[in-house]
Amino acid sequence: MNILELNDITKDYGSVKALKNVDMTLSNGEWLAIMGPSGSGKTTMMNIVGCMDKPTSGTVMLDGTNISEVSAKNLTNIRRDKIGLIFQQFHLIGYLTALENIMVAQYYHSMPDEGEALKALERVGLRERAKHLPSQLSGGEQQRVCIARALINYPMLILADEPTGNLDETNEQIVMDIFRQLHRDGSSIIVVTHDPEIAEEAERTVVLEHGKVTRNTKNAVAGSRGGDEKNV
Amino acid sequence: MKRQTMYMRMITGSLLRRRSRMFIALLAVAIGATILSGLVTVYYDIPRQMGQEFRSYGANLILVPSGEEGAFDAAAIEGAMRSVPADDIVGVAPYRYETGKINEQPFLLAGADLAEVRKTSPYWFVSGEWPDADGSALIGQEVADMIRLVPGDRFTLTGTDTAGENFSGDFTVSGVVQTGGDEEGFVFLSSADLDGLMGDGGRIDVVECSISASSDELTDIAARIGEDAPGVSPRLVKRVTESEGAVLTKLKALVWLVTAVVLLLTMITVATTMMAVVAERRREIGLRKALGASDRSIAREFLGEGALLGGCGGLLGSGLGFAFAQLVSMQVFGRPISFQPVLIPATMLASVAITAVACLLPVRSATTVDPAIVLRGE
Amino acid sequence: MFLRMLRGALFRQKGKMLMIAITIALGASLATAMLNVMLDVGDKVNRELKAYGANINVLPKGASLLGDLYGVQDGTGVSDRYLNEDELPLIKTIFWAFNIVDFAPYFETDARLTDVAGAADSGGDGPSSRGDEIALIGTWFDHHLDLPTGESLDTGIRNMKSWWDVSGEWASDDDADGAMVGAQVAERLGVSIGDTITVEEDGRAKSLTVRGVFDAGGNEDDRIYVPLAVAQELAGKPGAVSSVEVSALTTPDNELSRKAAQDPNSLSIKEWETWYCTAYVSAICYQIEEVVSDSVAKPIRQVAESEGAILEKTQFLMLLITILSLVGSALGISNLVTVSVMERSREIGLLKAVGAHNSSVMGLVLTEVLITAAAGGAVGYFAGLGFAQVIGHSVFGSGIDIRPVVIPLVAILVFIVTLAGSVPSIRMLLSLRPAEVLHGR
């Protein structure tokens, strides 16, 4: 079952065509990597999939809803309910503790629940850092808080933009371990990256060039996907 | 956990953990609130304080006996003064006029409660001392020049009393009064002394009253005295009342306009500072939106922050503003200012409103930004 | 390169720089307006206080003030000494001529009332009124004067007795038959506007038409005012003036002026010069005595003293309000500068990362802010002049004098305030470690 289907997507910024007739699908529980050089349309793709922008033409079906047709307000609701975002720059709110940063996502989604937020922190191994402010955390720790925040509302799709772009080798491995674990648990993941090593971890790689999909292949060494599919 | 609790945690977190920025914002709001409450207090106190100052022009209400010939006594005056609020009375000086002779030259004698005269005519310039005991007199400059008396000299006053008998009394010149007006030709004695010389008591020819009230209030007071006190006819000293009204109105208008201009500019300054503080957080707004916040909830959070900030700043400012107003009052008028409790909530409300509006403007423009900015890492 | 970076910062971040400039302009306009108003408020309020009438009384030397207070008359004060009417314009030529706002001569004479006739009905003359002595005062109502200096001036009691409540109209100096009657006289004689009164003195009779009745709330109400020449003619004393009231703008008294008022000769030469060249009421009196022969000029303390007190208070009040608003706008501006500079921490971090020294970062930021401040300050100065005029016109009905001294004051203020506002933010920027900033913390 496909949870995401992009059909013939085109996105224009004035005279610049950022995406040209792109087709792409993502099945439930799949781990997809999007690669491409700068300016290839990765970010535009990310914005459209993340319900932050609409295509100029074409349809985007997310979990059976055509998001190219809904209003901006409903787009926000869909994003809130179905997508967990992870950013290259972490983007934690500087004046809130790690725990509170996670609870902000709960707050906008439904109801803040401290216990649940603590559990999420535990999953990324940061339970004892709950009361720390972002400035007191290392880059890797911040990104783990960011992941915990993305997961807190049990999103249908995790969308990560260069999640390891600002991290050193060690932290990169920690973060990738979390992704692997998420994948084993059955989450659908899209990772945008230009690091081939990261892309190889995914099951499938889509390569964008000049707004077009130039390659869409299953990876030979598919992510160590232990114990088959589980329900999400 | 309740949503409200999280809401409060977010707001207080923003205020308490971003100390340097919030300190600036709080400072801006507090300054604004200080100026607001300070100037408003001063503005409301000016008529009262300046009114007191204007009493230096002397009596603004004169009571004379009604009817053709006559005089009134202390009882009638007391009756008349019941029509005047006690707090507003600066001074009430009854005068009795008679004639007498010094060295066989005739002079006008005035008997008065000299302590009250000092209050009703603060502009008198006395070289020497004001008389403080019976048997001493204040003489006008003219009189002093004519009979060559200086403070400390003694003189003998002679004349005819009410009963037609001759009288004679010895007095000491305690001071010489200069006014540039008619008073310079008088010899001022205490009422008791003059009554003693004249051989009867309690006769009063005219009463000068200095009342701290506006021209309209004085007209009312005069009307009440005219109705309630028989035998007393009140007259407004137009030169003083009319002019005071005119000048005071201008002064009030001046302070009002200055207050308005200062407030307007202060508000704009507070608003621009708040805008700068909030505009800095565009990225954060984008992030919140990416996390699924609606425009309304973002607006609500910033509004909450602004309101809290405005409240604290307002409270701080109303205190400082009162201190400023008190300083002005003590320095300029030498009198404490009356505390207006209503100004505290009013100042807080105003600062909350200004800060909230100042926060909302940049938030509005920020919410139109699509959340995708956070992805681009701008 | 410095200039290029500067230009880039100034023109490419128009929004932020504009905001700083606007705030500085607002602050500067407030400072300009308040300083100008404060410096001029003394003069303005002084003019308003002229509503209280004259503050100097000029009398012939040797004449006595012993007049008729409350109608008591004893004869000793009556004097046959007079001032010379021809010398009056000289009052407007003294050192402080510019401060003489108005003046009016008086010639007092007692005339006998011979006839009172109503204009329409003849029922005006009560039998008791005929043959009464009545106080007649000759004066200038609104007299046009051509001064020896070539200037001209309109002066008289119409300007000076602002509190008079006149029904009918003011009499005029050219109208030899016109008179203004005090309310008490009018009531006693039963005359109203348009009626005719005939008075007589030493066989010279004169018919006067009542142009207006005034209520002054004082002893003027018991008198009849006529043009100066009419009264002089009636008394047979042309050119004679018994007193002059002068309304002058004065500086509040201080220690020096009090000392001078006692005896100008007791001052040292330097003190004397200071005193003479300051608009103290005693100095103006002294100067009037210099030009009007055989005269004594006395301050009317009721007006002069009170005026000083109120002026001082008003000026002090305005000074404090000005200080408050200056401090307020100073803090406001420095606040905004602080915020705007802090906002640029990323950019500064980058500059430092590519090897900028602290001093060059500081130089860049300061130059940028100061150029913006200069632009904002200039705009604000002119806006402030506008504000000052608005205040002047709406409160006093006349423009506020523009003082050049405000320009350097405002410039210094803006400069200091902007620098002070930049200090905390620059300190913060200098302590930034480039790596941290670029990692987006």
Side-chain angles (χ1 to χ4, degrees), chain C residues 61-103:
Chain C
K61 202 177 264 173
S64 170
L65 274 172
L66 285 191
D68 43 0
L69 186 71
Y70 306 111
V72 188
Q73 176 87 16
D74 64 5
T76 50
V78 177
S79 159
D80 53 358
R81 295 172 205 235
Y82 294 102
L83 298 170
N84 189 348
E85 188 187 346
D86 298 339
E87 287 178 347
L88 296 186
L90 295 176
I91 291 175
K92 209 36 192 166
T93 62
I94 62 167
F95 184 82
W96 281 108
F98 186 70
N99 281 32
I100 306 283
V101 181
D102 276 305
F103 60 98

Side-chain angles (χ1 to χ4, degrees), chain B residues 20-21 23-25 27-29 31 34-35 38-39 42 46 50 53-54 56-59 62 97 99 106-108 122-125 127 141-143 145-146 178-186 206 208 235-247 249-251 253-255 257-259 261-262 264-266 268-269 271-277 279-280 283 324 327-329 331-334 377-378, chain C residues 19 22-23 26-27 29-31 33-34 37 41 45 48-54 57 59 63-70 72-74 76 161-165 184 215-220 245 258 261-262 298-307 309-310 312-314 316-318 320-321 324-325 327-329 331-333 335-336 338-340 342-343 345-346 387 390-392 394-397 428 440-441:
Chain B
S20 60
R21 307 298 162 91
F23 177 71
I24 288 173
L27 197 64
V29 178
I31 294 163
T34 304
I35 294 177
L39 282 188
V42 168
I46 282 226
M50 269 297 181
E53 290 309 318
F54 273 88
S56 64
Y57 276 105
I62 291 191
Y97 295 109
T99 50
F107 285 103
L108 289 161
Y123 55 90
W124 283 18
F125 182 75
S127 19
Q141 182 73 42
E142 294 272 329
V143 178
D145 288 347
M146 205 171 289
Q178 275 181 304
T179 66
D182 299 332
E183 296 88 343
E184 293 191 3
F186 280 79
V206 63
E208 290 191 354
R235 274 203 222 151
L236 296 183
V237 182
K238 279 217 166 141
R239 162 178 165 141
V240 174
T241 57
E242 296 281 305
S243 310
E244 176 174 327
V247 177
T249 311
K250 296 264 163 124
L251 273 182
L254 174 70
V255 177
L257 211 65
V258 164
T259 306
V261 169
V262 173
L264 185 74
L265 295 188
T266 312
I268 295 176
T269 314
T272 45
T273 309
M274 285 310 295
M275 280 183 198
V277 168
E280 207 190 355
R283 224 149 54 104
F324 167 77
L327 179 85
V328 168
S329 190
Q331 291 292 317
V332 178
F333 302 106
E378 275 170 14
Chain C
M19 197 136 141
I22 287 175
T23 309
L26 285 173
S29 71
L30 179 61
M34 292 297 291
V37 170
V41 78
V45 173
E48 292 302 324
L49 289 173
K50 291 300 118 207
Y52 279 98
N57 201 4
L59 296 167
S64 170
L65 274 172
L66 285 191
D68 43 0
L69 186 71
Y70 306 111
V72 188
Q73 176 87 16
D74 64 5
T76 50
K161 308 285 184 184
S162 59
W163 65 92
W164 280 17
D165 184 8
Q184 285 178 14
D215 180 3
N219 40 17
E220 297 101 318
E245 282 188 351
R258 276 184 204 111
Q262 292 297 317
K298 286 186 170 190
I300 300 175
R301 297 195 63 88
Q302 182 184 11
V303 177
E305 190 79 345
S306 314
E307 212 169 74
I310 286 170
E312 260 176 5
K313 309 266 155 162
T314 312
F316 199 26
L317 180 72
M318 282 302 290
L320 286 180
I321 294 182
L324 177 75
S325 56
V327 169
S329 59
L331 286 173
I333 291 175
N335 244 339
L336 186 73
T338 307
V339 173
S340 318
M342 277 183 176
E343 221 177 309
S345 52
R346 271 175 91 80
F387 260 132
V390 168
I391 293 177
S394 47
V395 178
F396 301 109
M428 191 206 87
R441 293 217 184 158

Side-chain angles (χ1 to χ4, degrees), chain C residues 400-413:
Chain C
I400 299 276
D401 277 354
I402 295 165
R403 312 275 169 131
V405 71
V406 172
I407 299 178
L409 280 180
V410 170
I412 292 170
L413 194 78

Side-chain angles (χ1 to χ4, degrees), chain B residues 108 110 114 117-118 124-131 135-141 143 151 155 171-178 183 185-190:
Chain B
L108 289 161
L114 291 169
V117 169
R118 207 173 172 171
W124 283 18
F125 182 75
V126 173
S127 19
E129 300 285 323
W130 280 79
S136 51
L138 199 60
I139 62 173
Q141 182 73 42
V143 178
F155 63 93
F171 291 92
T172 311
V173 177
S174 69
V176 176
V177 63
Q178 275 181 304
E183 296 88 343
F186 280 79
V187 174
F188 294 93
L189 307 174
S190 73

